[in-house]
Amino acid sequence: MATNIATTSATLRDVTKMERIGAHSHIHGLGLDENLEPRASSQGMIGQGPARRAAGIILKMVQEGKIAGRSILMAGPPSSGKTAIAMGMAMTLGSDVPFVTLTGSEIYSLEMSKTESLTQAFRRAIGVRIKEETEIIEGEVVEIQVDRSVTGATKTGRLTLKTTDMETIYDLGTKMIDQLTKEKVLAGDVIQIDKTSGRISKLGRSYGRARDYDALGADTKFVQCPDGELQTRKEIVHTVSLHEIDVINSKTQGFLALFAGDTGEIKPELREQINAKVSEWREEGKAEIVPGVLFIDEVHMLDIECFSFLNRALENELSPLVVMASNRGITQIRGTKYMSPHGIPLDLLDRVLIISTKKYELDDIKQIIRVRAQEEDVTFEEGALDALTQIGSQTSLRYALNLIAPSSHVAKRRKASEIGVQDLRLAYKYFTDVGRSLAFIEEQQGLLMFGESATQTSSNGSGQPMGTEFNANASEAAPMEIS
């Protein structure tokens, strides 16, 4: 009978634990050791050792609260791991330190000004850790008795709780009984009741009841039975962002705007009052500021007004660490006619610490493809991994990674459990890379609308036509041979 229960549980887990696989879902940290030295392959991170080491030093300073109001720029060619490093930073910081992601093009909206959008992003990246004391009841459940009326409309009951030193019976109303039912509280569970709000939290199962049942779930947590008094005072810490405080106190928006996402513009006067109140809490020891990280991807999409705002905002006392990423070289500053490195004004670049990322080596590409294949739960036949690595080195890493899923489906159509070279060859044939697409455009020059020469329009920021490394000349372009 125990075998049947285990099989059913495993089947349920397979059905319910279905998660989407994202572009960076394999990233779980920066892959650094205790001395902030990068491991060859760890937590999904491969290669880019100097960049990861620099990011680790920055993270250490953020965790110690020693860096705020600073700006970091991660600059490098496309597919060199800039966003992956940012995601690794977010995973390392955890949920207690705010990490806000923003793309440069997100701020252009008809509903909100650019500076307001950046202000909200800044305040979302600043946490306020609020401390408060509350009375709680914590103990092991001995017995739950529920009495229903004749009509069943009302319910009353009694809850018996104990610690190692005492045992008490509490009367229950309808709401408390409903909460106990919702949390699936049983005799032997250790629970915590907040006397102020009446909220019930199940902490785990008592060690004393560990042998009561033969069949327990794999995720069952065992805890010690509490000792001392049942009713105690406990300090509870809440971490909220300044933006959440702004929205809750905004009369025009209100608390529900946090769930709708449409917060609108918030008056500067309200923010000044909130800043003053938070400063008062800090002086009284009731709260502390947690400077987080604001990651702005594709920062070259910002215009001169946004860069001027960033210059001023970084000087503010309540300012997070701003991490920016760009894959542009010498390019035009949006909103002006002037050229600048990475499309960022020189006065802002002077404030920035720059972390450079380089193109991945062949061995790194192979390792990354192997990690992504494990994430997508696919395997390669002998020679197929080397063939895909060859594609990634001659086209781009992103293109090679995008071929994994189509190649897997092609393999399934021929009833194969592993991806073979023939599957990669078909996927490569079905889906073109940038170089072959550019060659096709040149061939169809007279048939496509508003066409111009690729060498005139497709500059990649380095002065070379986009796709030249893929042999994009119309007369010479040919499909790559996959061996």
Side-chain angles (χ1 to χ4, degrees):
M1 185 173 181
T3 307
N4 294 335
I5 293 174
T7 306
T8 307
S9 174
T11 306
L12 288 174
R13 279 200 298 272
D14 290 342
V15 172
T16 56
K17 196 175 180 181
M18 294 176 65
E19 299 180 358
R20 286 176 57 85
I21 298 174
H24 297 97
S25 56
H26 63 289
I27 302 295
H28 304 291
L30 286 173
L32 303 175
D33 61 16
E34 296 178 355
N35 298 321
L36 301 182
E37 290 296 322
R39 299 187 180 96
S41 176
S42 177
Q43 296 181 316
M45 294 296 296
I46 296 164
Q48 304 296 349
R52 287 159 55 196
R53 189 184 297 111
I57 293 171
I58 296 297
L59 272 191
K60 201 72 175 176
M61 297 172 71
V62 170
Q63 290 170 337
E64 295 174 357
K66 294 182 178 179
I67 183 169
R70 306 283 185 88
S71 186
I72 310 295
L73 173 65
M74 290 193 288
S79 300
S80 58
K82 298 182 294 297
T83 307
I85 291 174
M87 295 302 296
M89 293 173 69
M91 292 291 184
T92 305
L93 284 173
S95 58
D96 198 32
V97 179
F99 189 98
V100 179
T101 302
L102 180 72
T103 305
S105 57
E106 286 183 33
I107 67 166
Y108 299 103
S109 170
L110 297 176
E111 300 176 357
M112 192 186 302
S113 67
K114 292 177 286 188
T115 53
E116 173 67 19
S117 180
L118 285 172
T119 301
Q120 292 190 10
F122 263 69
R123 293 179 75 83
R124 281 201 304 270
I126 302 169
V128 182
R129 192 176 288 138
I130 303 170
K131 304 173 184 176
E132 61 177 357
E133 281 194 352
T134 183
E135 286 193 4
I136 62 168
I137 301 172
E138 187 175 316
E140 179 185 334
V141 178
V142 178
E143 186 182 13
I144 303 173
Q145 293 181 347
V146 178
D147 301 322
R148 298 178 183 272
S149 63
V150 177
T151 59
T154 58
K155 291 181 288 187
T156 57
R158 290 182 299 174
L159 172 67
T160 307
L161 292 178
K162 73 168 186 178
T163 65
T164 55
D165 300 328
M166 62 181 298
E167 183 174 314
T168 307
I169 299 175
Y170 296 93
D171 292 328
L172 299 176
T174 304
K175 290 184 178 180
M176 293 295 288
I177 293 173
D178 290 341
Q179 278 203 65
L180 288 170
T181 306
K182 182 180 177 182
E183 294 290 332
K184 300 178 181 179
V185 176
L186 302 173
D189 290 338
V190 178
I191 64 171
Q192 186 181 89
I193 304 173
D194 188 339
K195 287 190 68 176
T196 306
S197 62
R199 186 170 62 89
I200 298 176
S201 303
K202 186 160 72 170
L203 304 180
R205 188 141 190 90
S206 172
Y207 277 112
R209 299 293 190 101
R211 299 182 181 275
D212 283 8
Y213 301 97
D214 293 332
L216 289 174
D219 56 348
T220 302
K221 179 182 177 183
F222 290 98
V223 294
Q224 294 285 354
C225 178
D227 54 5
E229 296 286 332
L230 276 166
Q231 297 188 33
T232 56
R233 295 187 65 85
K234 188 175 182 180
E235 185 181 79
I236 297 179
V237 179
H238 307 282
T239 302
V240 295
S241 68
L242 279 178
H243 177 64
E244 290 171 340
I245 301 176
D246 293 343
V247 173
I248 292 171
N249 288 277
S250 175
K251 293 181 180 179
T252 57
Q253 305 301 330
F255 177 72
L256 292 177
L258 285 173
F259 302 96
D262 182 18
T263 57
E265 298 208 9
I266 298 172
K267 295 180 180 179
E269 294 81 7
L270 174 64
R271 290 196 173 111
E272 291 176 2
Q273 293 174 8
I274 290 173
N275 290 347
K277 191 65 179 177
V278 170
S279 298
E280 182 182 325
W281 289 345
R282 289 174 64 188
E283 292 174 0
E284 295 174 356
K286 295 180 179 179
E288 61 178 303
I289 298 296
V290 185
V293 177
L294 172 61
F295 175 62
I296 306 178
D297 203 1
E298 307 292 342
V299 71
H300 50 264
M301 292 298 295
L302 301 182
D303 61 13
I304 190 66
E305 297 175 13
C306 299
F307 288 128
S308 299
F309 172 84
L310 288 177
N311 255 327
R312 181 183 63 83
L314 289 171
E315 297 175 350
N316 198 319
E317 179 186 357
L318 296 175
S319 177
L321 171 69
V322 179
V323 179
M324 303 179 288
S326 176
N327 57 15
R328 300 296 173 92
I330 306 294
T331 188
Q332 188 174 357
I333 303 172
R334 186 166 180 169
T336 71
K337 60 181 180 180
Y338 300 107
M339 308 290 284
S340 180
H342 316 296
I344 302 174
L346 292 177
D347 57 342
L348 180 59
L349 273 178
D350 193 40
R351 295 175 175 268
V352 169
L353 293 173
I354 301 177
I355 300 175
S356 299
T357 58
K358 299 179 181 179
K359 193 173 180 179
Y360 284 107
E361 300 292 336
L362 196 64
D363 291 341
D364 294 336
I365 294 175
K366 188 173 184 177
Q367 283 287 94
I368 292 170
I369 292 174
R370 184 180 283 116
V371 170
R372 285 300 302 175
Q374 292 175 355
E375 180 72 14
E376 299 184 26
D377 197 20
V378 299
T379 55
F380 292 96
E381 292 179 1
E382 187 177 354
L385 180 59
D386 293 331
L388 191 55
T389 303
Q390 179 190 358
I391 293 174
S393 65
Q394 297 189 18
T395 57
S396 71
L397 176 60
R398 287 174 180 165
Y399 175 70
L401 296 178
N402 286 335
L403 283 185
I404 295 176
S407 302
S408 177
H409 283 281
V410 172
K412 288 177 182 177
R413 290 187 63 183
R414 65 180 183 89
K415 310 299 184 188
S417 59
E418 296 181 334
I419 297 175
V421 176
Q422 63 270 37
D423 304 317
L424 290 174
R425 193 176 287 119
L426 281 174
Y428 180 79
K429 177 183 175 183
Y430 294 153
F431 304 100
T432 60
D433 57 87
V434 177
R436 286 182 292 155
S437 178
L438 201 57
F440 173 77
I441 291 173
E442 291 286 353
E443 291 173 3
Q444 304 293 325
Q445 190 64 36
L447 301 176
L448 300 175
M449 297 182 64
F450 311 114
E452 294 183 21
S453 172
T455 56
Q456 295 175 353
T457 59
S458 299
S459 174
N460 61 6
S462 61
Q464 294 181 340
M466 187 175 178
T468 51
E469 62 271 36
F470 309 139
N471 191 17
N473 190 299
S475 60
E476 298 178 2
M480 185 182 68
E481 290 295 329
I482 302 177
S483 56

